[in-house]
Structures are given as C-alpha cells and as structure tokens.
Amino acid sequence: MEPMYIKLVQLNDEWTEAGLQLQVADPASKYDGGVMDETTGIPRANHLGTPAVMAAWAASLVNADSRYYRQAELREALEKASAFLLRRQHADGTISLGSTNFNSPPDTAFVVGGMTQIYRMLEQANWSELAPALANIRLFLERTIPALLTGGCHTPNHRWVITAALVQLHDIFDRPELLVRAEEWLSEGMDMTEDGEWTERSNGIYNAVSNISLFHTARVLNRPALLEYVRRNLRMMAYLIHPDGEVVTDYSGRQDLGQTFNLSNYFLVCRLMAAHDRDPLFAALSDYAGSFISQYKEGVNNHPMVGVLLFPSSLEGLEREPLPERYVKRLNFGHPMDAHLKQVGQVGHHMKIQHSSMHLAFGAPVVRMRDGNDSVTMMAKAPSFFSLRHGKARLLGVKLATSFAPGVVMFDSLEEAEQGAFKLRTLLEKGYSGPIPAASLRELRLNESMSPWYLLPHHLRPMTHLQQFELAADITQGDQAWTLRLRSDEREDVFVQLTFVFGSEGEVEGSGVEPISDGRFLYKEGTLSYSAGPDVIEIASGAFEHRLPELRDVQHPNGCLYAHVNLLSPFDHTVTIRLR
C-alpha cells in the first residue's frame, strides 16, 4: 500500500478516537450527539466542528483498513451526530458558524460541500445499518437547498464554496435550479491573476478553499477549463514556501496575515490534481503537504481521508519533480493593477461593501527568492515590505510607519531597477476639508440650530491645502547580505519609525540596542544581532533621531520581538542585513 495512504488511515483512526472522547452523551442536552470544540467547549454544526469529526468517523466505518471498520459503537456515534446536526439546523435550512455569521448561507455551503461527500461515501458502502445516519444526512442536505438557492456571500471565496455545494447537491437531488444558481455565481468570472493569485491573497487558508471548491465544481459539471485556475495557483504556491515548510503569509488579505501555516490544507487538491493531470510537480507538492498532516484541522469540505477514499487518486508510479529551492520569482509584475484601480470610481459602489473588504491589494507585485535555507519576500501593498528567513533565524518583517498619515506605510509599487536590485515607492497625501457649498446645504434643509455632523454630505467638501510626502525603499542583494536604503523627500520633521520584527524564539543583542518593554527595543546605533540556534542575522546600523517609543495607529502582532529605528525627515538611511 502507498505510504501516504497508510499514514492517513492511522491518523484518521486517531482523529476518530479523539472525537469519540469529546462527543456529548446527555439526552437532556441540546448538544447531545455533538462533538465539543476543544477551545470553547461548545459543539458546533460548522465545517470545522461536528461535521468535520463525522467525516473522520464515516471514513473509518467504511474503510476495511481501519480498526474501526463497521464498529457498532462508532456507527451509533455517527447516527447521534447526524441527529445533532439536524437539531442545530435553523428553520431556514442554514447553520451558524458560531463565533459569528449566524444563519449563514456560505457557512452552510462549507458544511454541504463535505456532507455531500460523506453521504456518497456511506451510500457506496452498501451497509444497511447506516440507513438511519444516511437518512438524517440526506434530510439535512435537502433542507439546505432553499437557503443555497437564495443565499448570498461575504467574501470572494464564498462564491466558489457555494457553487461547489450547489453542484454537489444537484448530483444527489437532480434539481435543475441548483445548476442555474451555480451558473449565476460562475458568470461573475474567476478572480485570479495570470500568475495564480486569488483576490484574498491568502496563502495560508483561502487559496486552498477556493482550489478544492473549484475542483469539485469542475468535476461535477465536467468542465475541465475550470481546473486551469487550480493549476495556476498550485504552481504559484511552489514558490511561496519557506525552507522549513512554512507558507508565506506576509501579505495576506485575510486572518492568516503574518501567522504560521504549512501546506497541509493543500494536500488533497494537490493529490487530486496530480492524479488527474499525472503532473510530477503536483505529486511532489502533495507528498510535501502530506508530510505536515499530523492533527486534524481541516474542514469537512477538505477532509483528506474522505477525499482519498471517495476519489481514487493513487500516485504510485508517478515521477516527482523536485520542488524549487533556488530561484528568483516575480509575481504579478504584469498584472494591470493600476488600470483596474482607476476604474473603481466608475463601478458605482463608492468603495463601500457590506460585511466584507474591497481587497484593493489584489494583484500587487511580490518577489520571492530562495537560496537553499535562505528565503526572502518583497511585497507592495502590505504592512511589511521585506522579510527574510535564514535557517532558524526569522526576520518576520520590516515595516515603515510615519506620523504624516499616521500608521504603517504600504508601498504602492515594487519594480526591478536592475538585476538583484528592487525599488518600492509611495506617495502619501493628506489634506483638509473646506465648507460644504451653500447650494448643497440648502438642498438638505437642515435645522440651523442643530446640525449633526454625521448628516452632512462630507463627500461634497472641497479639498484644501493638500500635502504630500514621498517615501522610497531601495533593496539590493549582495553576497550573504542585503542593503535597504530608506529615503524621504525634503519635507521636514515627520516622525518615522523603521521596525524590524523577529521571531520570539531568538535573541536580540547589541551595544546600541536599548530594551523599552518586554520584547521591544530601540535600535539606536551600531550593530544589532539576532540569533536563533546556529543562525545569525546582523543589521547595521540604527538611528535615534526622535524619542517616540512608538507612533500613532501602528499595531504589531503579539508574540514577536521588535527593534525600532527612529528617523526624522528628511532622511536617507541605509541598513545592511548580513547573514552568518
């Protein structure tokens, strides 16, 4: 048997046992049959909750290689969990995420995407004793149809999750209106750059969500053209992996921003695509992603064991293409981001969207570099513009903040000046608002004795005294070194802070490095040394041109070390980052 299959069976049995220990066994409780969330203690019907555990249980019950194969106790647990799922389903057919998103069509779609697969897998087992659980699951799925035929989304990826749920429901219930609704979502077009980046730029979470959803949509509709988008993203992801397997999340537009993720959630879609295309790169990605699967964290819609059992995908005999370890990869350098942003004013939404984000950084340029154990990311439109991994030493980010437009600077552009040299630029603007034109005020007919600020048409105020502040960062690669030259225009006395963000596992040292609080330092002069294990990053040099320990509206995530370099405009300051 294939080693990856053997590993998954063992892990799935472990997940099965762990879930059984957390199932509520209290007929008087509304949570009876549900599986307690380890963080909150509350059983949930969402895709990461009880349905995800049901996926492991179902896979164990139907798999002759599992020690739980056709076990009566586990079958009863699955039946009780399916009854819990029905009780937690709202009258409109939806479920609630629990932490937020109540009566949520997209969160229902996440669950449907997996429960349809569980239903097919149990049905194919041809075991009569599964009939009660099958009946409950079928009823649950049928009840979701009205919500998914009418329900909307919050985020870009939700569209593809809903579409996948619709077509898989059609595969079971054969209702044409499900396909009609799916086509309405698909007609919006795919939100991906030529280099494979989805709107949300979420390498840690939502790339994989969109990919697996689109795979199932293409599979059920027999529309192979949709798989090209999955291919693009997977090929891009081969260049977004640090030496230790950590995925690049430095510029994400979602909650994985700056958090630690590996490729494990890409395992199933890489495997399915490798089997479909007989592609050596996807096979290698699948192997690598599978090596990180240890504890269950995937949603029911992306369950590795269910996917392997339901969709045969043996990779035995398929060659592997080595994953790239030495490269310079430019992403989105040809994407017409500026042209698209200029069209925003013509659309009519006035930059407002409810319960979501505009994701204006979509398609911003990124440069990825790997040289064995050294890994560098440069990026525009992100809180950090440079990050570096040197073995175990992690420079998680380099950030620039100002008092001009208070907050962190996100550079607008990233261009290659010459081979090995890149430049980032931004032009900050801040002006003042004049009085609203009298004619507009007369049309409002406001009471002159009391005029609420929030009722005034602020968008009609003329701009006065518009001010600008230009910033640049030039990045040059040397021999085991990087040079960062930070420059401003000639405007005087703008407080600026350059911040180096390090992993908390290392140590920061230097004669010109002054601790100001736990994990935070002012880097005033000389050389700063950051070490983690045998690997060291040295930075020279610091500055202390003003005394502010931090600037307004600048937030840093917890659990890191920070070294601040205080600059005052105009400035032209160079730091050198050496690896040893």
Side-chain angles (χ1 to χ4, degrees):
M1 285 188 287
E2 188 183 355
M4 190 65 234
Y5 171 78
I6 295 172
K7 174 183 177 179
L8 279 181
V9 172
Q10 294 172 343
L11 285 173
N12 198 71
D13 281 354
E14 293 175 10
W15 302 334
T16 294
E17 182 177 358
L20 286 170
Q21 301 301 315
L22 294 171
Q23 187 174 35
V24 177
D26 179 3
S29 170
K30 65 180 180 181
Y31 300 121
D32 184 46
V35 179
M36 287 187 293
D37 178 86
E38 293 190 57
T39 301
T40 66
I42 305 298
R44 298 296 188 193
N46 64 42
H47 69 294
L48 293 170
T50 298
V53 179
M54 290 173 65
W57 290 352
S60 290
L61 280 171
V62 304
N63 187 4
D65 294 317
S66 168
R67 70 174 185 264
Y68 289 96
Y69 179 59
R70 296 200 171 187
Q71 187 195 79
E73 179 188 355
L74 183 58
R75 178 187 55 75
E76 292 172 2
L78 179 67
E79 186 176 327
K80 290 178 180 179
S82 66
F84 163 82
L85 194 60
L86 280 175
R87 291 198 309 275
R88 300 310 295 166
Q89 189 173 29
H90 303 303
D92 62 1
T94 62
I95 58 97
S96 295
L97 178 60
S99 57
T100 182
N101 293 2
F102 297 91
N103 293 70
S104 167
D107 289 289
T108 304
F110 271 99
V111 175
V112 168
M115 295 306 297
T116 50
Q117 295 173 38
I118 291 173
Y119 180 81
R120 284 301 195 199
M121 188 173 63
L122 295 177
E123 187 180 47
Q124 292 173 12
N126 196 27
W127 183 27
S128 61
E129 292 187 43
L130 290 173
L134 267 170
N136 285 343
I137 293 171
R138 185 180 179 91
L139 179 57
F140 171 83
L141 292 172
E142 190 171 21
R143 286 177 176 177
T144 68
I145 290 175
L148 294 181
L149 284 175
T150 59
C153 67
H154 282 163
T155 65
N157 79 82
H158 282 173
R159 298 172 299 167
W160 316 134
V161 174
I162 293 173
T163 301
L166 287 163
V167 300
Q168 289 179 99
L169 283 171
H170 177 268
D171 196 40
I172 294 172
F173 296 99
D174 195 24
R175 290 178 54 172
E177 61 268 33
L178 290 163
L179 294 186
V180 172
R181 184 65 167 183
E183 293 293 351
E184 290 180 4
W185 290 113
L186 288 170
S187 66
E188 294 189 6
M190 292 295 120
D191 53 315
M192 178 179 283
T193 69
E194 287 296 321
D195 286 326
E197 182 178 271
W198 289 104
T199 290
E200 292 158 279
R201 312 177 87 203
S202 174
N203 300 328
I205 302 175
Y206 292 106
N207 285 0
V209 168
S210 294
N211 289 344
I212 196 67
S213 298
L214 209 57
F215 177 88
H216 288 303
T217 299
R219 173 183 62 81
V220 176
L221 294 182
N222 191 24
R223 198 172 297 180
L226 293 175
L227 294 179
E228 182 54 33
Y229 300 97
V230 182
R231 293 186 187 100
R232 274 194 224 169
N233 184 257
L234 295 183
R235 289 178 184 134
M236 181 190 79
M237 285 304 303
Y239 297 95
L240 290 162
I241 309 167
H242 293 301
D244 63 353
E246 182 184 346
V247 168
V248 175
T249 60
D250 305 61
Y251 55 86
S252 174
R254 294 301 305 275
Q255 67 264 35
D256 55 324
L257 175 65
Q259 302 300 309
T260 301
F261 287 83
N262 57 45
L263 276 180
S264 58
N265 55 343
Y266 289 84
F267 162 75
L268 182 57
V269 73
C270 287
R271 183 182 178 91
L272 295 174
M273 287 299 297
H276 181 278
D277 290 357
R278 306 309 294 172
D279 187 293
L281 176 62
F282 296 161
L285 280 169
S286 178
D287 292 345
Y288 194 54
S291 71
F292 292 101
I293 301 176
S294 57
Q295 58 183 15
Y296 182 73
K297 65 174 185 177
E298 281 309 298
V300 64
N301 57 310
N302 192 24
H303 194 281
M305 193 76 254
V306 171
V308 167
L309 292 176
L310 192 57
F311 309 109
S313 54
S314 174
L315 303 186
E316 287 188 302
L318 178 57
E319 291 185 6
R320 268 50 169 184
E321 178 181 324
L323 297 181
E325 294 184 352
R326 285 177 170 79
Y327 56 80
V328 177
K329 184 69 172 178
R330 301 158 186 84
L331 297 173
N332 302 326
F333 270 55
H335 184 70
M337 181 178 180
D338 290 341
H340 286 170
L341 290 176
K342 288 177 182 177
Q343 298 175 35
V344 170
Q346 306 169 21
V347 177
H349 51 51
H350 305 295
M351 299 296 288
K352 292 184 179 180
I353 183 172
Q354 288 188 322
H355 318 305
S356 189
S357 169
M358 298 304 299
H359 293 287
L360 299 179
F362 168 61
V366 173
V367 176
R368 281 283 301 140
M369 296 184 175
R370 273 281 304 272
D371 185 7
N373 286 325
D374 297 334
S375 178
V376 167
T377 310
M378 289 176 266
M379 59 227 116
K381 298 287 187 181
S384 164
F385 63 90
F386 181 88
S387 67
L388 184 151
R389 305 291 195 278
H390 174 53
K392 294 182 179 300
R394 302 188 301 156
L395 173 55
L396 299 174
V398 181
K399 305 167 71 171
L400 197 67
T402 80
S403 63
F404 179 82
V408 172
V409 172
M410 296 190 188
F411 286 98
D412 291 320
S413 65
L414 169 58
E415 300 175 354
E416 188 166 14
E418 55 189 59
Q419 188 171 3
F422 297 86
K423 58 182 181 181
L424 297 106
R425 300 287 185 273
T426 194
L427 182 65
L428 304 180
E429 293 186 333
K430 187 175 182 180
Y432 302 83
S433 300
I436 298 165
S440 299
L441 287 175
R442 285 194 296 270
E443 290 176 8
L444 288 171
R445 299 176 183 175
L446 294 174
N447 185 336
E448 293 181 2
S449 64
M450 193 280 290
S451 178
W453 174 259
Y454 55 77
L455 289 181
L456 295 174
H458 297 289
H459 61 288
L460 299 178
R461 296 182 184 274
M463 182 72 70
T464 82
H465 296 78
L466 180 66
Q467 303 299 303
Q468 296 181 327
F469 186 45
E470 187 171 10
L471 294 165
D474 298 329
I475 304 175
T476 306
Q477 182 182 15
D479 183 18
Q480 288 291 291
W482 292 85
T483 299
L484 276 57
R485 181 186 178 195
L486 289 304
R487 293 177 288 127
S488 75
D489 63 19
E490 295 304 310
R491 179 176 293 278
E492 294 185 343
D493 295 341
V494 176
F495 297 113
V496 176
Q497 195 165 66
L498 177 68
T499 299
F500 296 93
V501 185
F502 301 102
S504 61
E505 67 279 2
E507 294 184 357
V508 172
E509 298 176 316
S511 59
V513 179
E514 178 183 306
I516 53 176
S517 66
D518 187 27
R520 291 179 60 234
F521 307 86
L522 284 176
Y523 176 23
K524 295 183 175 182
E525 60 183 1
T527 299
L528 177 150
S529 174
Y530 170 76
S531 58
D535 303 306
V536 179
I537 297 174
E538 287 185 346
I539 302 175
S541 62
F544 189 60
E545 298 174 1
H546 63 81
R547 297 183 180 181
L548 293 176
E550 60 183 29
L551 302 186
R552 277 179 51 197
D553 297 333
V554 177
Q555 295 182 342
H556 302 298
N558 296 325
C560 301
L561 303 177
Y562 301 94
H564 304 299
V565 176
N566 284 357
L567 303 170
L568 190 68
S569 72
F571 61 86
D572 187 340
H573 184 79
T574 297
V575 297
T576 301
I577 302 172
R578 296 193 179 278
L579 312 179
R580 63 177 181 86

